Amino acid sequence: MKTTRRHVLGVLVLGSGWLGSSAGCRGPNGPMHPEYRMLAERLVRLPKERRSLRSIGLWYLASLSERPAADQIAAEWFPTEAERRRALTELPLRLAERIRDRTLDDYRHDRVVIVRGWLLSETEARFAALTALLRRV
Amino acid sequence: MLTDSRTLRDGSELTADVCIAGGGAAGITLARALGGSGLSVLLLESGGFLPDEATQALYVGSSIGQDYWALDTSRLRFFGGSTNHWTGWCRPLDPIDFEARPGMLGGWPVSYQELLPYYREAQKDCELAEFDYRPNLWAERYRTRLIPLDDASWETIAWQFSTPTHFGERYRQELVASDDVQLLLYANLTQIELARAAGHVERWRVRCLNGPNFSVAARSYVLALGGLENPRMLLASNGVEPRGVGNRLDTVGRYFSDHPHSKVGQILPNSVHDLRPYTDIYREGAGTYVRFSWALTEALRRELGMPGMSVTLDPPGAEGYPEEGPGVESLMEQVGARPGKTAWSLFLRAEQAPNPKSRVKLGRSRDALGMPRIELDWRVPTPLDQQVREAVRRLALSAGQASIGRVLSFAHTDKKPVDAWPILWGGHHHLGATRMSEDPKYGVVDRNCKVHGVDNLYCAGSSTFATAGYANPTLTICALARRLGKHLLEQYA
């Protein structure tokens, strides 16, 4: 097959779309990049007190029709390879700041969910869900 | 002048320029506004200077709608009226409250600006500090920092608290010493007698409990009996007009409202911010206080067509600390907050849109004077449920954005205390049952508080409120009484 310039550009455009989407994190035909699991475990270690968070996470998960996996949540937050790599290596304080920024952004843009009457940002609720999904970490 | 009506001769008739029935906030303020003008004023008070059981029992009635306070404990029937037990919360209505908002039946026929000079006078009647309700002004004075909640949805507001002024005690000497005002104690208005042509009051029939009957004849008559008694008196006075005075279009008693009060949630605050401005009260002068709370912004009310709502932070009640509190604290710590370990109760005061099915009616039973007792059918319009949910959701967004705390909404969960939203109760504010409207189809009194179709009969008090905002009514009652006083003085100038 002859490779044209147009063909190459088309692949690049499609590829960049895949890289930028959370679905793309799963890989085109296979499982999600294994580093997302590592990243999820890293995120779960951020809070000092996890037991009480877990119950919030469980209530939140129970309210969903489709239960997300831990690596999927991490992939939603850090969808590109560059973001994933940076999140895996940067200081916990910086990582926490990213979660905080996402949380504040949720409140600014009306992305709240209801967990047992608590109006929480979507990021907070999914963060709590991570602790429930990765109990043994 | 002071007269004990029980000493009057049976069948006698007193005359005056203006006769006012009811010695509460509205009646006393109006009598004071007219005092010294040269007009002769009769002020009829059902009770004496102290409460008595038999007079108070005249207030017994029944409630057939939304749960409501017992009608004989919700108000007081002796000189000073319900100012003898009010808590002193004061704040004018907001300018938007006067506007023709959606669902508010055209709003008020008078504007905030028109009422403003009378609010300044009412401020003195209630013995408050200067007429200024800007929260930042008071915060600066008390060297306190308000929480930066203010956004497009909710903002900080200031309340002032009266001592609270007991109008009967406070203004008794002034009225007794007045040459123009004659205060008649133990005088119960029992009938408004219309001329045959129905558009003019000829006299009032007055009775003492176990005492003489007499009548009063005046050029103008003002009902200042209270938010429930004003419609009761109009409905019961059916000698000429079978449906009652001013009730040809069946409006008297309709549109009754109160300020629905309810626990709508809790807030787990970030202790980085000092909540004390919202939980403390600040002493201002001789016994008056200032307090801060939050209210829906004008912008949000316009955008979503919301009624007025305010929320105060109250100490947690029986609900205590929420079960999910530790988990929410942990989430808050994650974003750099320092949870305060106390979940404050969010206490709502809301506005109720005028509802024609919410009514003061006459029941079958009668009181010791032979007057039909009240049957109250309080009905809160259903959109309030959705509106409260949205308001609390917006509060949660605002609190989250400003990193003030996290909100637990009782409007969004079934797991809540038994006394929480949608359980609501009234604030003992009896509003709107002779509402003000230039259109007789939607109201009983016109912009001057004159009863439609009757040339010399007026209503004063909270029954004339066209809409009620979220603010407690006493300051507005006094402002309207002052304005009515000016109108009557102009009439007779």
Side-chain angles (χ1 to χ4, degrees):
Chain A
M1 190 178 81
K2 190 180 172 188
T3 305
T4 63
R5 190 175 166 195
R6 177 175 292 197
H7 191 172
V8 170
L9 277 173
V11 167
L12 279 175
V13 167
L14 283 172
S16 64
W18 166 71
L19 276 173
S21 71
S22 57
C25 304
R26 289 186 181 86
N29 302 307
M32 195 167 303
H33 197 291
E35 281 181 350
Y36 278 120
R37 171 73 185 196
M38 290 165 62
L39 181 51
E41 290 178 1
R42 201 157 180 247
L43 287 165
V44 164
R45 288 195 190 96
L46 288 175
K48 288 179 213 146
E49 211 296 293
R50 271 177 270 170
R51 198 175 348 159
S52 55
L53 263 186
R54 270 185 211 125
S55 54
I56 295 211
L58 286 170
W59 284 315
Y60 169 66
L61 288 169
S63 72
L64 299 176
S65 55
E66 202 173 329
R67 198 177 163 117
D71 50 359
Q72 194 183 336
I73 293 173
E76 282 167 9
W77 293 350
F78 305 98
T80 67
E81 184 179 354
E83 286 171 306
R84 185 182 75 228
R85 285 281 158 83
R86 192 171 60 186
L88 279 167
T89 53
E90 66 191 351
L91 291 171
L93 197 65
R94 297 286 303 160
L95 195 56
E97 276 174 10
R98 290 180 194 286
I99 303 300
R100 184 197 61 196
D101 292 347
R102 279 190 68 91
T103 299
L104 294 178
D105 206 47
D106 282 348
Y107 282 114
R108 265 193 291 273
H109 293 97
D110 204 349
R111 291 190 297 264
V112 289
V113 295
I114 298 158
V115 182
R116 304 255 289 183
W118 288 92
L119 291 136
L120 300 174
S121 95
E122 208 172 81
T123 301
E124 285 176 315
R126 288 175 96 72
F127 188 79
L130 274 182
T131 61
L133 293 165
L134 301 176
R135 273 187 77 96
R136 292 192 187 144
V137 173
Chain B
M1 283 174 284
L2 174 65
T3 303
D4 183 332
S5 304
R6 295 171 298 187
T7 64
L8 293 174
R9 195 169 44 82
D10 195 52
S12 58
E13 180 160 281
L14 306 177
T15 58
D17 291 315
V18 180
C19 185
I20 306 164
I28 288 175
T29 305
L30 178 59
R32 291 182 62 232
L34 297 174
S37 66
L39 290 178
S40 57
V41 177
L42 288 174
L43 176 57
L44 311 183
E45 166 54 48
S46 167
F49 288 132
L50 293 170
D52 74 86
E53 218 170 292
T55 303
Q56 189 62 29
L58 298 170
Y59 270 163
V60 170
S62 59
S63 181
I64 58 169
Q66 171 87 36
D67 270 354
Y68 203 72
W69 308 104
L71 299 188
D72 54 331
T73 57
S74 192
R75 52 217 172 120
L76 291 174
R77 193 160 171 148
F78 65 101
F79 190 56
S82 294
T83 66
N84 288 301
H85 69 172
W86 75 309
T87 50
W89 291 70
C90 283
R91 193 179 152 75
L93 297 177
D94 293 328
I96 187 177
D97 294 328
F98 292 85
E99 295 177 10
R101 294 169 285 150
M104 295 293 178
L105 294 187
W108 289 71
V110 295
S111 68
Y112 175 82
Q113 284 303 324
E114 280 179 88
L115 207 54
L116 188 56
Y118 306 103
Y119 267 133
R120 294 187 197 286
E121 292 177 27
Q123 188 85 357
K124 291 176 193 153
D125 295 329
C126 296
E127 300 183 286
L128 298 161
E130 68 260 35
F131 185 81
D132 201 319
Y133 286 83
R134 288 173 296 173
N136 289 333
L137 175 124
W138 294 105
E140 272 174 37
R141 185 176 294 186
Y142 303 128
R143 297 172 194 277
T144 189
R145 283 186 62 189
L146 298 174
I147 291 181
L149 174 82
D150 304 15
D151 69 354
S153 302
W154 288 84
E155 64 186 348
T156 297
I157 56 157
W159 296 86
Q160 289 193 32
F161 284 74
S162 173
T163 50
T165 302
H166 294 172
F167 280 52
E169 280 173 33
R170 175 67 183 82
Y171 300 117
R172 171 179 164 177
Q173 280 313 314
E174 179 186 328
L175 291 173
V176 169
S178 169
D179 292 333
D180 303 330
V181 179
Q182 184 178 3
L183 169 60
L184 288 119
L185 297 179
Y186 307 105
N188 296 283
L189 170 62
T190 55
Q191 190 74 206
I192 301 166
E193 242 179 55
L194 292 180
R196 287 240 170 264
H200 186 81
V201 178
E202 275 193 339
R203 66 178 55 78
W204 277 354
R205 297 286 175 191
V206 185
R207 286 186 63 185
C208 301
L209 273 173
N210 308 313
N213 300 339
F214 59 100
S215 61
V216 293
R219 294 158 81 187
S220 293
Y221 299 82
V222 182
L223 296 176
L225 297 163
L228 294 168
E229 295 300 303
N230 277 357
R232 179 189 185 190
M233 186 53 60
L234 290 171
L235 291 169
S237 298
N238 54 4
V240 172
E241 290 279 347
R243 292 173 113 171
V245 175
N247 197 31
R248 283 186 183 171
L249 298 175
D250 191 22
T251 45
V252 173
R254 291 190 185 272
Y255 308 110
F256 171 81
S257 73
D258 197 322
H259 290 121
H261 287 49
S262 186
K263 279 182 195 172
V264 290
Q266 287 181 286
I267 185 166
L268 193 57
N270 177 2
S271 62
V272 167
H273 301 288
D274 186 357
L275 269 183
R276 276 178 299 179
Y278 299 86
T279 57
D280 285 358
I281 49 176
Y282 294 89
R283 197 182 171 98
E284 174 63 30
T288 63
Y289 295 88
V290 168
R291 185 179 176 179
F292 300 99
S293 73
W294 293 319
L296 286 186
T297 61
E298 193 179 307
L300 188 79
R301 289 174 63 183
R302 285 192 197 289
E303 182 194 335
L304 301 180
M306 299 274 262
M309 291 187 203
S310 76
V311 158
T312 47
L313 297 189
D314 286 357
E319 63 269 29
Y321 192 70
E323 187 187 337
E324 306 81 10
V328 175
E329 277 180 25
S330 189
L331 283 173
M332 288 170 66
E333 280 164 358
Q334 201 50 48
V335 295
R338 292 206 307 267
K341 308 282 179 193
T342 302
W344 289 86
S345 193
L346 296 171
F347 194 79
L348 175 84
R349 289 169 174 77
E351 176 180 31
Q352 175 186 340
N355 175 5
K357 291 181 179 166
S358 185
R359 315 176 59 169
V360 176
K361 298 189 278 193
L362 299 181
R364 288 190 181 162
S365 66
R366 291 181 180 264
D367 67 16
L369 294 166
M371 298 283 295
R373 292 191 187 279
I374 286 175
E375 196 174 77
L376 179 65
D377 189 358
W378 182 33
R379 297 194 198 186
V380 179
T382 46
L384 191 63
D385 195 44
Q386 286 304 316
Q387 289 161 336
V388 167
R389 279 171 65 87
E390 182 57 13
V392 180
R393 198 181 72 83
R394 296 283 185 142
L395 182 63
L397 291 176
S398 302
Q401 273 176 58
S403 216
I404 288 161
R406 297 292 178 266
V407 169
L408 167 60
S409 167
F410 296 146
H412 288 84
T413 182
D414 292 331
K415 184 189 152 294
K416 57 188 157 193
V418 289
D419 60 348
W421 181 265
I423 300 298
L424 56 85
W425 52 94
H428 305 280
H429 306 156
H430 312 129
L431 312 162
T434 67
R435 81 186 286 273
M436 186 189 286
S437 170
E438 286 298 81
D439 186 342
K441 286 203 295 283
Y442 299 115
V444 175
V445 300
D446 67 12
R447 67 190 319 277
N448 293 315
C449 296
K450 190 183 74 61
V451 174
H452 286 298
V454 185
D455 65 4
N456 60 343
L457 178 63
Y458 296 82
C459 289
S462 57
S463 68
T464 65
F465 285 21
T467 64
Y470 57 81
N472 293 42
T474 305
L475 191 68
T476 304
I477 290 172
C478 294
L480 286 170
R482 286 271 166 195
R483 183 170 172 274
L484 175 56
K486 177 125 185 284
H487 172 75
L488 291 171
L489 289 175
E490 284 168 358
Q491 291 281 99
Y492 296 117

